[in-house]
Amino acid sequence: MFSINTSKGSVAFSRFIGPFINGKFQPSLASSPAKRPLYNPCTEELLETVNEASPEDVDLAVQSAQAALKGPWKDFTGKKRRNVLLNIAQALEQNMWKLTVLEAACGKPLAEAQYDIEDAIECFRYFAGHADKLHGQNFATECNHKSYTVRKPIGVCGLITSFNYPLLLAAWKIAPALACGNTVILKPAPQTPLSSLMLGELISQHTDLPHGVFNVLPGGEAVGSAIANHNGIHKCSFTGSGNVGRKVMSAAANSNLKKVTLELGGKSPLIVFADADLDQAVEDVFGAIYANMGQNCCAGSRLFLQKGIEDQFLQKFKARIEKIKIGDSLDEAYDFGTMVDRAQFDRVMSFFERAKSEGQAELLIGGKRHGTKGYFIEPTIYRNVSESSLLAREEIFGPVLSVMKPFDTIEEALERANATPYGLASGVWTKDLSKAEHCVQELETGLTWVNCYNLCSSHMPFGGLKESGFGKDLGAESLADYTTVKTVHIRV
Ligand code: NAD
């Protein structure tokens, strides 16, 4: 057992001896298995050491997942798959606090962590509703022919996730994959594998999911790469950075042309017009950039304010920031935690140095570490950021807002907002609905929020355009990415 201390007491967890393959935890097949120490990012103390998987374990998991496809899982009707997903949701709900603590131990405040788990549960319930409603179509083609399509699972799905919403992002992929009758090999991010491993434990204890249908392989690049290159895997759904997304795509191209979906990074623009409800806009922009301490793919990191409102907006915004309570993510008293680990902390801190030497922006507040222990970074604002600055171009993935030079017209705002290779999300604040609708049409992003931000529902597709990726997580749209369609003609 290992335990995690919270402001509400200590919570004990099982130790995981290795990857979860074929229905059980087992030691890695590697001759000298990798061990990854996980540190509490608030205290920098050792939390747990994880026994990682190896490429040999990927082979074993693929064999198990392939055998399950041909075995009992094949006979699981839509109704039975629905029930499994509902059982998973129930098991998660019964263990909400433990899962919340595991996510919060990655530096995320408890309230945000609980929200993620609730969303993950909702996701399993949403896709449970689809499991028994997947069907093909009938077509009128030639006389004396019956022509129809059949929707079938793709096969073994390799699901690779990033560190920022560990269980939630996994749920976004596992739930539709299982609803459609696929088998799954999940590789969580190396920094945050614990909630995914606990999901394996809960599935084995609380559901009748046949062995081999769901596998979890903790590990880093070697394991991810082995999944992306594997000829026995038929689909790879990836969430992470653009650089690694490119490697996944190229691995798919150079192996068996497995289907790929990519959910990648962003540099999301936020446009606040002078006619907006400024108090609402301040609150929303605050959440857009500082939720999960900026470690959010949709983070609204480029703020465009219409000329005339900049001083008022920033004054209110600074007042909002002063209400933040930065501290131990496992203590309910705090609502702003840390970067996930030392590497992410160093990465964000390096932007402050680079921005200083570049000299293309004015630091308004923050730009430094908070305290002397833990990976806390102060909420940061730069203003007068020019389009060519690295603060406007690069995804920082930290609590850093770039307030761009103010804009005059809607056309100018749109042109500047779209001037990025990314295309994940955008936000618009105005009381004028026709202005809002024009922005919705013109913004080159997969999601646009108007007078709100970060609202995300299992019912609706989520995914980016341009270099933010392709394919959708969530919503009925995502089912197409987890199924193949067979065309049938029968002479009758
Ligand atoms: P990352 O790209 O470094 O890692 C993502 C995953 O890929 C990890 O599990 C990692 O171990 C694995 N990986 C590393 N090398 C690999 C390889 N060669 N082949 C296969 N897998 C490999 O990203 P990160 O630092 O974990 O997450 C931050 C990034 O994720 C940001 O760019 C963020 O915007 C993006 N993200 C996107 C979304 C979205 O839905 N669009 C959601 C969350 C995060």
Side-chain angles (χ1 to χ4, degrees):
M1 302 282 267
F2 71 100
S3 55
I4 298 178
N5 293 325
T6 79
S7 55
K8 291 162 92 178
S10 177
V11 186
F13 296 90
S14 320
R15 283 223 135 101
F16 304 109
I17 56 168
F20 182 77
I21 301 176
N22 208 20
K24 58 179 190 297
F25 289 97
Q26 46 191 288
S28 167
L29 293 175
S31 46
S32 47
K35 289 188 178 293
R36 184 177 296 265
L38 299 178
Y39 296 94
N40 177 333
C42 298
T43 60
E44 301 181 41
E45 285 161 10
L46 185 69
L47 194 70
E48 170 61 333
T49 301
V50 170
N51 298 303
E52 292 197 325
S54 65
E56 294 95 307
D57 299 308
V58 176
D59 288 335
L60 182 64
V62 172
Q63 282 164 24
S64 311
Q66 283 176 337
L69 267 181
K70 297 198 181 101
W73 184 232
K74 196 174 177 187
D75 299 327
F76 262 60
T77 59
K79 277 195 280 185
K80 280 180 87 175
R81 297 199 303 274
R82 175 198 66 196
N83 292 343
V84 167
L85 289 173
L86 291 175
N87 287 342
I88 294 175
Q90 193 178 18
L92 294 178
E93 202 159 54
Q94 285 164 353
N95 288 275
M96 171 103 75
W97 175 237
K98 287 181 88 168
L99 290 161
T100 297
V101 169
L102 285 183
E103 302 298 59
C106 306
K108 188 185 296 245
L110 278 168
E112 277 193 58
Q114 181 172 328
Y115 185 81
D116 290 358
I117 303 301
E118 285 167 358
D119 248 16
I121 293 167
E122 179 53 32
C123 179
F124 279 103
R125 295 214 164 108
Y126 171 76
F127 282 105
H130 275 292
D132 59 352
K133 297 172 193 69
L134 293 165
H135 52 75
Q137 288 180 292
N138 281 303
F139 296 82
T141 51
E142 300 294 322
C143 293
N144 303 330
H145 282 74
K146 183 170 165 45
S147 300
Y148 61 96
T149 54
V150 186
R151 211 169 245 267
K152 294 165 74 77
I154 294 179
V156 181
C157 296
L159 312 178
I160 301 176
T161 53
S162 60
F163 68 78
N164 53 338
Y165 294 94
L167 191 69
L168 181 58
L169 292 177
W172 286 15
K173 299 179 189 303
I174 299 163
L178 296 184
C180 295
N182 299 285
T183 54
V184 161
I185 297 172
L186 170 68
K187 194 207 80 64
Q191 306 91 326
T192 55
L194 294 175
S195 53
S196 296
L197 288 164
M198 185 167 163
L199 176 63
E201 184 181 42
L202 293 176
I203 284 178
S204 68
Q205 289 169 349
H206 297 274
T207 75
D208 60 352
L209 197 70
H211 293 173
V213 175
F214 179 69
N215 306 276
V216 187
L217 305 183
E221 176 162 9
V223 178
S225 172
I227 289 174
N229 279 289
H230 209 291
N231 285 321
I233 293 180
H234 312 104
K235 184 207 160 84
C236 187
S237 175
F238 173 82
T239 297
S241 62
N243 284 345
V244 178
R246 283 181 164 82
K247 290 187 193 171
V248 168
M249 215 171 149
S250 134
N254 291 320
S255 54
N256 60 346
L257 285 174
K258 58 181 67 62
K259 275 191 171 193
V260 172
T261 46
L262 300 178
E263 296 287 358
L264 309 176
K267 192 75 194 171
S268 300
L270 313 176
I271 304 176
V272 182
F273 289 96
D275 68 355
D277 173 339
L278 277 202
D279 290 324
Q280 181 67 50
V282 163
E283 196 55 36
D284 294 341
V285 170
F286 177 85
I289 183 61
Y290 297 133
N292 204 24
M293 289 62 67
Q295 298 165 117
N296 175 7
C297 51
C298 292
S301 48
R302 289 182 299 143
L303 176 62
F304 296 89
L305 298 170
Q306 195 157 28
K307 265 188 190 147
I309 60 168
E310 204 187 16
D311 288 342
Q312 198 190 354
F313 184 96
L314 290 177
Q315 207 174 8
K316 285 174 184 278
F317 199 74
K318 275 163 68 181
R320 176 63 186 88
I321 287 179
E322 275 157 23
K323 291 189 194 154
I324 290 179
K325 293 185 217 86
I326 305 180
D328 187 352
S329 58
L330 289 157
D331 184 335
E332 285 173 305
Y334 300 103
D335 58 11
F336 197 91
T338 63
M339 301 295 97
V340 72
D341 64 2
R342 175 102 231 171
Q344 185 62 14
F345 173 83
D346 288 343
R347 198 177 157 273
V348 176
M349 293 292 288
S350 76
F351 274 92
F352 300 144
E353 281 311 307
R354 290 167 68 203
K356 200 169 165 186
S357 54
E358 191 189 62
Q360 290 195 48
E362 175 194 330
L363 179 65
L364 194 61
I365 58 166
K368 57 183 191 298
R369 177 179 204 168
H370 172 87
T372 52
K373 192 157 44 130
Y375 308 131
F376 297 96
I377 293 182
E378 288 188 1
T380 298
I381 307 177
Y382 286 93
R383 72 186 295 185
N384 274 325
V385 178
S386 60
E387 294 344 279
S388 57
S389 163
L390 67 99
L391 294 169
R393 288 182 286 107
E394 292 187 28
E395 184 186 40
I396 300 174
F397 225 53
V400 183
L401 177 66
S402 297
V403 183
M404 310 299 293
K405 293 183 174 146
F407 70 90
D408 262 323
T409 64
I410 184 169
E411 297 310 335
E412 181 198 339
L414 289 168
E415 192 183 326
R416 290 170 61 198
N418 285 334
T420 168
Y422 293 111
L424 186 52
S426 52
V428 176
W429 285 264
T430 173
K431 287 187 187 139
D432 180 343
L433 269 188
S434 28
K435 211 186 276 176
E437 176 58 16
H438 183 61
C439 292
V440 167
Q441 295 302 327
E442 297 301 319
L443 283 164
E444 297 164 357
T445 53
L447 300 109
T448 298
W449 284 285
V450 176
N451 296 330
C452 61
Y453 207 82
N454 279 338
L455 175 65
C456 197
S457 159
S458 298
H459 297 66
M460 292 185 71
F462 180 102
L465 309 178
K466 294 158 68 176
E467 292 185 24
S468 290
F470 53 83
K472 297 290 177 191
D473 277 334
L474 300 179
E477 263 87 350
S478 69
L479 299 169
D481 285 329
Y482 289 99
T483 47
T484 56
V485 173
K486 179 166 199 156
T487 300
V488 185
H489 299 286
I490 304 178
R491 190 193 296 276
V492 289

